[in-house]
Amino acid sequence: MAAGSNFVQRYLLLGLLALTACVPTLEELRPTSGPAGQESEVELQGSDFDQDGLRVTFGDSPAAVVSRGDSRLEVIAPALPAGEVPVRVSNAGGVSKEDRRFVYLPVPTLSRAEPAEGSAGGRTLVCLQGDNRGGEGLTVRFGGAPAELIERSGERLLVLSPAGAGRAEVIVEEGGLRGALPGGYRYLPRDGAPAGHIVSLHPAEGAAREAPAGSLPADALQQAISETEAVKRALLAEHAPCGLQLGAAYPNLPSLHPLNADAALPERLRRDPRVRSVQPNQRREAETAESLPLINADRLRYLDPPPARPLGAGTTVVVADTGVDYGRAPFSCAAPGAPGGRIVHAQDFTAQDDGDPDPDGHGTHVAAIVHAVAPGAGIVAADVFAGGGSCDSAVLRSRDRAI
């Protein structure tokens, strides 16, 4: 009997152990993050979930269990502030030991844009106010067009507006979360922008500064360009006011072109050690002050006695080149052969006339030098180039026509 009794006791003990709840294991969360201050649907995967006394907590806060199986749970994570919290699953057998965490991401918000309007051409420096203190990967759009992010701080985003028209919704997104400012920015028609200033920066540090001209390897050049772009963003963030309008971008050059800066901005930039110079954006006129001496044409002014009539009067020069834009100065002809004009004839000698008097500009430049040397000469504009090249037959045709 004693032996039989011991057998029964051992059997009953094994049965009780089999009925005892096992400690749950938590292997995975899907997703691992959600918006701060909002509830989120989360799937938990592991084992021994289908036990009595099941409880799921995010930090110290309980989650509502929507569905359960032995290896899978669906829960509603509680609404908690931004931050990272541990996730635990417990039952009558104990608490999961695995370190699984859920991140509550701050939801981007926008309260206003300063300024709330800018040029339809874009490149206006806009300060966006709101709460955007999350991690990496934040993007900003004006309507559907991406804006360039210059600087990010807790309550301010500094961006360059893209080109657009009408009113645009300003959108900030990060990690699938988004904040918006409906109709928050208005595009104004383009107008004649002021000339502004040209800001030149010092070359990037390191190899880009030390290498002789033309010797910088491609990878080092790209690094120098990236470093210079970072300096540009830093200068704008530190010195530029909201609403500053920038001219054309120079992604490969150490230059900035602020258009509507007040008097204080150029002075601040000049004092910055990263800036080489700040100069007014001046208009340059085309002239022959350097090209004429190269062919000794400047000596003609010293002829003694001086010519009785303009040099070249009574002669005709054929410029066989890319054509001549006869409507531009110094020709300003209504049409070739018009009374008083210097372009006496214009003709396209290529196989197919494209209708453009000078699609390249080279022939116009050559004709301008001819006019500067011999202002009294007539000019025949012979277009012998097409698609960047010229055939011998076209040149011969122009010569034949000239004779």
Side-chain angles (χ1 to χ4, degrees):
M1 287 296 294
S5 177
N6 289 337
F7 174 79
V8 172
Q9 290 176 352
R10 285 197 297 271
Y11 181 83
L12 291 175
L13 179 60
L14 290 174
L16 289 173
L17 290 173
L19 293 175
T20 301
C22 297
V23 176
T25 60
L26 178 56
E27 298 174 358
E28 187 177 0
L29 303 178
R30 297 181 182 173
T32 59
S33 63
Q38 301 179 29
E39 294 181 338
S40 299
E41 295 183 0
V42 182
E43 178 183 319
L44 284 64
Q45 293 190 353
S47 61
D48 296 308
F49 291 160
D50 196 14
Q51 302 282 338
D52 291 337
L54 180 74
R55 187 169 185 264
V56 179
T57 57
F58 282 61
D60 296 327
S61 302
V65 178
V66 177
S67 67
R68 60 187 287 184
D70 189 59
S71 61
R72 181 176 177 274
L73 293 174
E74 289 185 3
V75 303
I76 302 297
L80 295 176
E84 185 180 73
V85 297
V87 180
R88 298 279 187 262
V89 180
S90 60
N91 60 19
V95 182
S96 59
K97 306 300 183 183
E98 296 76 22
D99 185 20
R100 301 290 180 259
R101 294 178 176 272
F102 189 83
V103 179
Y104 284 89
L105 299 173
V107 179
T109 62
L110 289 176
S111 57
R112 65 188 178 95
E114 181 187 351
E117 58 186 21
S119 170
R123 295 190 59 76
T124 300
L125 206 59
V126 181
C127 299
L128 300 175
Q129 302 294 330
D131 189 353
N132 301 285
R133 290 173 287 188
E136 300 296 327
L138 181 139
T139 61
V140 180
R141 290 184 289 116
F142 284 50
E148 180 182 348
L149 181 60
I150 302 298
E151 185 194 40
R152 175 181 183 175
S153 62
E155 296 184 355
R156 190 186 84 152
L157 297 175
L158 188 63
V159 301
L160 273 179
S161 66
R167 283 202 169 272
E169 181 180 33
V170 183
I171 303 166
V172 56
E173 290 184 289
E174 183 175 25
L177 306 177
R178 116 179 203 159
L181 198 61
Y185 192 78
R186 182 167 68 101
Y187 285 103
L188 303 176
R190 301 187 193 209
D191 53 11
H197 291 75
I198 300 297
V199 180
S200 298
L201 313 182
H202 285 294
E205 296 289 344
R209 174 172 288 184
E210 301 299 330
S215 66
L216 197 62
D219 55 347
L221 176 61
Q222 190 57 52
Q223 180 182 352
I225 290 173
S226 299
E227 291 175 0
T228 301
E229 284 298 297
V231 172
K232 292 180 187 179
R233 291 191 292 271
L235 287 173
L236 291 174
E238 294 170 24
H239 298 299
C242 301
L244 177 70
Q245 182 70 38
L246 292 179
Y250 307 105
N252 299 319
L253 294 176
S255 301
L256 287 168
H257 184 190
L259 295 175
N260 59 341
D262 55 22
L265 178 60
E267 289 305 316
R268 289 198 302 270
L269 291 172
R270 286 189 182 101
R271 291 193 295 266
D272 194 295
R274 295 166 292 185
V275 175
R276 170 179 285 176
S277 66
V278 181
Q279 300 293 337
N281 180 29
Q282 300 181 27
R283 177 180 173 84
R284 311 291 179 175
E285 301 293 341
E287 58 180 47
T288 55
E290 294 185 8
S291 56
L292 293 184
L294 292 175
I295 57 174
N296 296 322
D298 57 328
R299 298 182 181 181
L300 295 174
R301 71 183 69 177
Y302 302 113
L303 291 178
D304 187 21
R309 56 181 185 165
L311 289 174
T315 65
T316 300
V317 178
V318 178
V319 178
D321 207 296
T322 60
V324 175
D325 189 353
Y326 48 81
R328 295 183 59 181
F331 315 112
S332 302
C333 296
R342 304 321 309 168
I343 307 299
V344 297
H345 182 70
Q347 185 174 341
D348 193 320
F349 294 93
T350 61
Q352 185 174 3
D353 189 352
D354 59 8
D356 193 327
D358 184 8
D360 181 87
H362 187 273
T364 302
H365 178 73
V366 172
I369 294 176
V370 171
H371 179 74
V373 174
I379 296 175
V380 173
D383 186 354
V384 297
F385 280 79
S390 177
C391 295
D392 292 342
S393 57
V395 176
L396 289 174
R397 288 180 61 210
S398 70
R399 291 178 179 176
D400 183 75
R401 177 67 178 82
I403 294 173

